[in-house]
């Protein structure tokens, strides 16, 4: 009986269900089966031999960790047998390859992508920041140069005004510039007076026109004075017509003088102003170079002297270029002024003489000589081109 019990213990199987599947016993149920087996053996044998045999069975019996799950019945073939140790290894592998590991791998991938995106965005932000910084540095350098140049020029101007500083003078050119400024002032006075004459004469012509209309109306309403009113009406109309012709000549004269004074002369004076500013800068950097040359001759001072020499050379070339431009413009301005004024003064003289001499034919011939076209009556509104 004891042998049969031991043989049963040695061939202990895990029970299967009716479908041939293995039971759903947990992994630690093998110990409970062993305890039940021990209790049944104690109850049936009840002797010390049975106890020793039971201990022998517990010692030499099958290892529960190596128990196999059999899909077939007892004594079947080895096919379909899965060792319990293999099941544990599969469980451990499944736990290792579970979703937390996968999530960890995915999180690492997202972290890598995020780092790439952060690197690209940081690179673009760094590029924009460097561009902005470069523009700011360039503006700062421009303001710095402007401030230094303004300081030097102001210092030079104050020194010249108080007689402590020297200035570069071109006597011939300065004399021509002074003549031009005086000529411009006188021509501006001529222009002002010519405009005043035009306004007054225009009002006189308008008065003559109204007076002629009144005489003509009275000639129709006063039979006893019809001839007298008629003569005066015709005279005023003739004077009004000649006055409009003279106004055309005077307006042409005013327009030409205005162009000469406010455009041609003004353009030359703007060049002269640039020349004077260049002269002031040249003298300022020249004085700066002279002061540095009189100082010590160490390494720092030599570097400053070299930089001052370069700036002096740049402003010297600018000064000489503008001086040449001013000389050329003054020459052409003088030639243009003589040509324009010769024509306009001749026009003004002939027109005024013909008008006050009552020579209508000579007055009209004067306008044709200078290619002056009068506007038709009632065409006082300027064209769209003149309004621009």
């Amino acid at each position: 009986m004891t042998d049969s019990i031991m043989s049963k213990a040695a061939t202990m199987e895990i029970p299967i269900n009716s479908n041939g599947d293995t039971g759903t016993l947990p992994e630690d149920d093998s110990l409970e089966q062993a305890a039940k087996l021990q209790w049944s053996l104690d109850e049936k044998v009840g002797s010390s031999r049975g106890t020793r045999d039971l201990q022998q069975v517990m010692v030499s019996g099958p290892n529960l960790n190596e128990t196999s799950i059999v899909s077939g019945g007892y004594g079947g073939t080895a096919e379909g047998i899965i060792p319990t140790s293999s099941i544990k290894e599969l469980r451990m592998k499944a736990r290792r390859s579970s979703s937390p590991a996968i999530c960890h791998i995915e999180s690492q991938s997202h972290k890598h992508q995020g780092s790439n995106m952060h690197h690209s965005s940081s690179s673009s932000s760094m590029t924009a920041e460097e561009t902005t910084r470069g523009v700011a540095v360039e503006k700062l350098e421009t303001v710095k140069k402007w401030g230094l140049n303004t300081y030097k020029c102001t210092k030079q101007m104050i020194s010249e005004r108080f007689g402590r500083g020297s200035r570069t003078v071109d006597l011939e050119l300065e004399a021509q510039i002074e003549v031009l400024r005086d000529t411009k002032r006188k021509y501006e006075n001529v222009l002002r007076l010519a405009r005043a004459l035009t306004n007054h004469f225009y009002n006189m012509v308008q008065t003559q026109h109204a007076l002629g209309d009144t005489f003509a109306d009275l000639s129709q309403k006063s039979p006893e004075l019809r001839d007298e009113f008629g003569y005066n009406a015709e005279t005023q109309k003739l004077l009004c017509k000649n006055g409009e012709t003279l106004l055309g000549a005077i307006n042409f004269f005013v327009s030409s003088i205005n162009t000469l004074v406010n455009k041609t002369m003004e353009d030359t004076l703007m060049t002269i102003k640039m020349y004077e500013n260049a002269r002031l800068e040249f003298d300022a950097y020249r004085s700066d170079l002279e002061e540095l040359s009189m100082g010590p001759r160490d390494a720092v001072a030599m570097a400053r002297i070299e930089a001052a020499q370069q700036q002096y050379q740049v402003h010297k070339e600018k000064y000489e270029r503008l001086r040449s431009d001013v000389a050329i413009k003054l020459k052409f301005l003088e030639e243009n002024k003589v040509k324009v004024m010769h024509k306009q003064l001749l026009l003004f003289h002939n027109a005024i003489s013909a008008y006050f001499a009552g020579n209508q034919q000579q007055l009209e011939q004067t306008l044709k000589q200078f290619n002056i076209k009068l506007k038709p009556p009632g065409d006082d509104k300027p064209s769209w081109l003149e309004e621009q």
Side-chain angles (χ1 to χ4, degrees), residues 19-294:
N19 292 328
D21 298 330
T22 59
T24 59
L25 291 175
E27 184 180 348
D28 294 336
D29 289 347
S30 58
L31 298 177
E32 185 178 356
Q33 294 291 336
K36 289 181 180 180
L37 180 59
Q38 183 180 359
W39 178 78
S40 62
L41 289 175
D42 290 340
E43 187 178 26
K44 291 182 180 180
V45 176
S47 61
S48 61
R49 181 181 177 183
T51 303
R52 286 193 300 270
D53 294 337
L54 180 61
Q55 291 176 355
Q56 184 179 1
V57 169
M58 294 299 294
V59 173
S60 61
N63 189 358
L64 294 178
N65 291 329
E66 297 177 357
T67 306
S68 301
I69 301 174
V70 184
S71 61
Y74 177 76
T77 61
E79 296 178 358
I81 299 176
I82 304 174
T84 307
S85 60
S86 299
I87 295 175
K88 290 183 178 181
E89 292 176 1
L90 290 173
R91 289 178 179 176
M92 291 299 294
K93 290 180 180 180
R95 290 173 183 174
R96 291 176 182 175
S97 62
S98 60
S99 58
I102 296 173
C103 293
H104 177 70
I105 295 172
E106 292 179 352
S107 64
Q108 291 293 333
S109 176
H110 288 302
K111 186 183 294 184
H112 181 66
Q113 294 177 358
S115 64
N116 290 337
M117 293 177 64
H118 178 70
H119 178 70
S120 62
S121 61
S122 62
S123 300
S124 60
S125 62
M126 288 178 63
T127 303
E129 184 178 356
E130 290 176 357
T131 304
T132 305
R133 186 179 302 172
V135 173
V137 170
E138 185 179 355
K139 289 183 178 180
L140 183 61
E141 288 295 328
T142 303
V143 173
K144 183 179 178 181
K145 291 180 180 179
W146 174 83
L148 182 61
N149 185 72
T150 303
Y151 166 74
K152 291 181 180 296
C153 293
T154 305
K155 180 181 177 182
Q156 177 66 23
M157 183 173 60
I158 294 174
S159 299
E160 291 177 2
R161 186 165 297 179
F162 286 94
R164 293 195 299 266
S166 61
R167 55 170 296 182
T168 304
V169 179
D170 188 337
L171 296 177
E172 183 180 358
L173 191 63
E174 292 291 334
Q176 293 178 3
I177 292 173
E178 188 61 32
V179 169
L180 172 61
R181 286 174 174 161
D182 184 65
T183 303
K184 185 173 183 293
R185 287 192 294 267
K186 292 179 179 179
Y187 277 40
E188 286 175 345
N189 188 35
V190 170
L191 180 62
R192 180 180 60 82
L193 293 175
R195 283 174 173 170
L197 176 62
T198 303
N199 291 331
H200 295 321
F201 196 76
Y202 174 78
N203 292 330
M204 188 186 73
V205 170
Q206 294 298 317
T207 304
Q208 288 176 343
H209 187 276
L211 187 59
D213 291 341
T214 303
F215 285 158
D217 183 64
L218 289 174
S219 174
Q220 297 294 329
K221 296 180 179 179
S222 302
E224 65 280 5
L225 297 174
R226 177 179 301 175
D227 296 336
E228 289 80 358
F229 278 123
Y231 297 151
N232 284 277
E234 292 178 358
T235 303
Q236 293 300 321
K237 288 181 180 180
L238 180 61
L239 290 174
C240 181
K241 182 180 178 181
N242 294 338
E244 289 176 353
T245 305
L246 180 61
L247 276 175
I250 297 176
N251 284 330
F252 186 75
F253 174 81
V254 169
S255 176
S256 299
I257 299 298
N258 180 66
T259 302
L260 177 64
V261 172
N262 292 323
K263 291 185 178 180
T264 309
M265 290 185 177
E266 189 64 28
D267 178 71
T268 305
L269 288 174
M270 287 295 296
T271 307
I272 291 173
K273 185 176 181 181
M274 294 171 61
Y275 156 74
E276 291 177 345
N277 292 334
R279 197 275 311 162
L280 183 64
E281 291 179 353
F282 167 68
D283 284 337
Y285 283 92
R286 178 182 54 80
S287 300
D288 189 29
L289 179 61
E290 291 176 356
E291 291 178 1
L292 291 174
S293 299
M294 296 173 62

